[in-house]
Amino acid sequence: MQKIIVDTGFLVAFLSQSDNFSFWAQQASLKYKPPYFVCDQILSETAYLLHSRFGIDGLNKLFAFVSKGDLKVDFSLVDTDNLKSVAFLTNKYPAMGFFDACVVAMTEQKQFKDCLVLTTDFKDFSIYRRFNTLSIPCDTPFGLIST
């Protein structure tokens, strides 16, 4: 069964009707059903952005989404192997952001062999490779990226 990994762009768009990509995120959520998987760093970044833009209401939407079991944290940098993977990726792609590196490293985990990433970042994710050579399957507001 394909696992769906989400990044901050998807989460903010999904939980905020005023986001430019909200319609896309809502449509994607109909196509790809929860649970969605996320790393702890993406959860933190999403919480920060929702709180800074929408106050406690934005944060409460995220809390509710997690509480329902629709969003599961399944990758943490507390694990030193995960941290090494993120460090490797940020050195391989010097322009890669830390949060993108967390998502890419997550796609390389055994439990995510069959995965799809929901992201608003078509440009960067069309360049990144998992396992050095494989494109990362993604659905974005600008189209699909397939392997």
Side-chain angles (χ1 to χ4, degrees), residues 32-89:
Y32 308 105
K33 301 291 185 194
Y36 302 124
F37 296 89
V38 69
C39 64
D40 54 1
Q41 302 304 314
I42 295 296
L43 186 63
S44 296
E45 182 186 34
T46 301
Y48 171 78
L49 289 173
L50 288 171
H51 188 255
S52 66
R53 293 179 187 173
F54 308 107
I56 194 66
D57 291 339
L59 205 49
N60 282 336
K61 286 182 181 182
L62 180 61
F63 293 155
F65 198 53
V66 173
S67 295
K68 284 184 357 187
D70 288 343
L71 187 63
K72 297 180 179 291
V73 176
D74 200 348
F75 184 90
S76 175
L77 294 184
V78 172
D79 181 318
T80 56
D81 287 336
N82 291 346
L83 184 61
K84 288 176 185 176
S85 296
V86 170
F88 171 81
L89 288 165

Side-chain angles (χ1 to χ4, degrees), residues 9 11 14 21 25 42 48 51 65 75-76 80 86 97 99 103 111-112 117 120 123 125 128 130-131 133 139 142:
L11 287 170
F14 181 72
F21 300 115
I42 295 296
Y48 171 78
H51 188 255
F65 198 53
F75 184 90
S76 175
T80 56
V86 170
F99 298 109
V103 173
Q111 70 268 31
F112 295 108
V117 176
T120 57
K123 181 180 165 218
F125 275 88
Y128 302 148
R130 65 184 188 154
F131 305 115
T133 58
D139 195 341
F142 309 101

Side-chain angles (χ1 to χ4, degrees), residues 18-34:
S18 64
D19 188 271
N20 290 339
F21 300 115
S22 180
F23 180 78
W24 165 78
Q26 296 302 320
Q27 293 301 305
S29 74
L30 297 174
K31 187 175 179 181
Y32 308 105
K33 301 291 185 194

